[in-house]
Amino acid sequence: MGLLTILKKMKQKEREMRLLMLGLDNAGKTTILKKFNGEDVSTISPTLGFNIKTLEHKGFKLNIWDVGGQKSLRSYWRNYFESTDGLVWVVDSADRLRLEDCRKELSSLLLEERLAGATLLVFANKQDLPGALSKEAIQEALALDDIKSHHWCIIGCSAVTGKNLLAGVDWLLDDIAARIFTTD
Amino acid sequence: MEAMAEHSQETRVTGESGADKIQERLQRRHQARAEDAERKKEAKESRSVAEEKSEYFSSTFNAERASIEELLSSCSGADRAVVTQTLEEATVKTLQLQKFLNDSMLFLTQYELRRAQDALQKLLTSSADIREEALPKKKFAFRARSKATDKVSAPPVTDTPAVTDSTKVDVVAPAESVQCCFSNMDNVCVIKTAEEIHKQDVLLTHLTNCKVRLFGSPSTLHMTHIDNCEILCGPVSSSVFVDHCRNSTLAIPCQQLRTHNTTDTQVYLHITSRAIVEDCRGVGFAPFTFSYPTLDEDFIVSGLDRDRNNWSQVDDFNWLAAGTPSPNWTVIPEADRKTNWEL
């Protein structure tokens, strides 16, 4: 038995994952985090800095990092890349004006070496709004089909109603678990 | 214990030949011990994995790298389909190599690790270069405009094309998509009623010297390039964006306010979370005082809490020093606040 196998076994015992949630400002990152954790979402302010939540889901311990998306904070995103197992990219589906910005930010993230091993989940958020683009339109606008370097999946959701948040996180956990935990 | 007992018995029984026996016994013991050590050593060797040796790593890594480089070099001059396929294969192989490197990290020295990472990085860049060169990325563009013109120039003869068209109108041009939009106006007075902006996204852009009255409750409100305007708006159920705005007066109730690149502007605010400013100068805040006949109903439509107003709690994203207040925004002194609003 090699040392690596031992280490993997240890990690498996802890079943701990680190998820990093990023996206442009007003995408709904904090709302997703709070809704997922069952907290009140009506008084959320724009995030100045970051939020961390540790929660148990499906027998995994999730450390979720939600970092503010304002322009002046984006340069700090890289401080959070280290040992990220899953990247959650949140898109405001109703914000058509900044989709191109959104695509650029995402594609520059995917070039990042320290995120090379991470699984990518794209949340097309705010599907409850009448003006929201469908998840297929977001998929095209962000050129997700060109991504060859990461496992990815796009899920339409609404942080306000909570719709599809679980489905997204479950997919992410399954994908990460299949990758980092050895199945005996 | 048993051996000891046996030993002492033997010495007693055999008498003088005992010395020889002991010698022989010691000899045997020594041999057994040596064999045991040998066995342990073998067992240890068989346990250590051949893969966890740096020679094995470097030879495998280099072989794999060479094969990827060959793949990449075969791309030049080939046609599009072939290039796509080869690049795909190269990417998969590169990823495998990356994984191999990650798995081997534990037993590699820093130097080897760095060299391998550099090599991988080089592979990635060269494959990206080739991709860029051979398969220039299709730029994303909103398509509805062309669809629309198609429809105008060639009205559908049968029903079927019309149906396929309507399913495609998902991606539409920004200006059309924002359901309520005013742009490029100078010296105009704009008034909108509750029916017109009920739960719509409203966009105001490139307005100069304008008066805007939005009676009703929009879903979101975007304002960009606003100069010397007075904008009064009913309760916005989610966020208000202000970008590149100057010398203006705004009065808005909302859940969130995000102010960017704005100078010398007064904001009369009712906000249920906290307002933010980023890259702003001279922004003044005061509580929302503007009123119109159906304001109460619009508050109910928006779902905003009338009793919670954090208008004076402003976060400046360019001023992270705790303790000292940001110089970029101020509270408007009560004497200077606007109290009578013309509808």
Side-chain angles (χ1 to χ4, degrees), chain B residues 241-306:
Chain B
F241 282 85
V242 182
D243 201 355
H244 291 100
C245 171
R246 48 185 208 149
N247 302 324
S248 296
T249 303
L250 315 173
I252 327 158
C254 59
Q255 199 223 329
Q256 294 190 345
L257 173 71
R258 298 164 187 260
T259 322
H260 307 268
N261 307 301
T262 292
T263 52
D264 307 316
T265 292
Q266 281 79 49
V267 186
Y268 293 82
L269 191 62
H270 182 106
I271 188 163
T272 55
S273 66
R274 293 166 76 95
I276 70 138
V277 294
E278 188 178 58
D279 306 319
C280 292
R281 257 184 316 105
V283 183
F285 288 92
F288 181 77
T289 50
F290 167 60
S291 185
Y292 58 91
T294 56
L295 180 64
D296 293 347
E297 293 154 38
D298 291 336
F299 255 108
I300 293 167
V301 170
S302 72
L304 293 180
D305 183 353
R306 265 205 111 151

Side-chain angles (χ1 to χ4, degrees), chain B residues 1-22:
Chain B
M1 272 306 272
E2 223 170 81
M4 284 277 280
E6 192 191 340
H7 188 184
S8 60
Q9 199 184 23
E10 270 179 32
T11 7
R12 196 157 23 88
V13 176
T14 49
E16 57 179 22
S17 66
D20 286 348
K21 277 263 171 106
I22 290 174

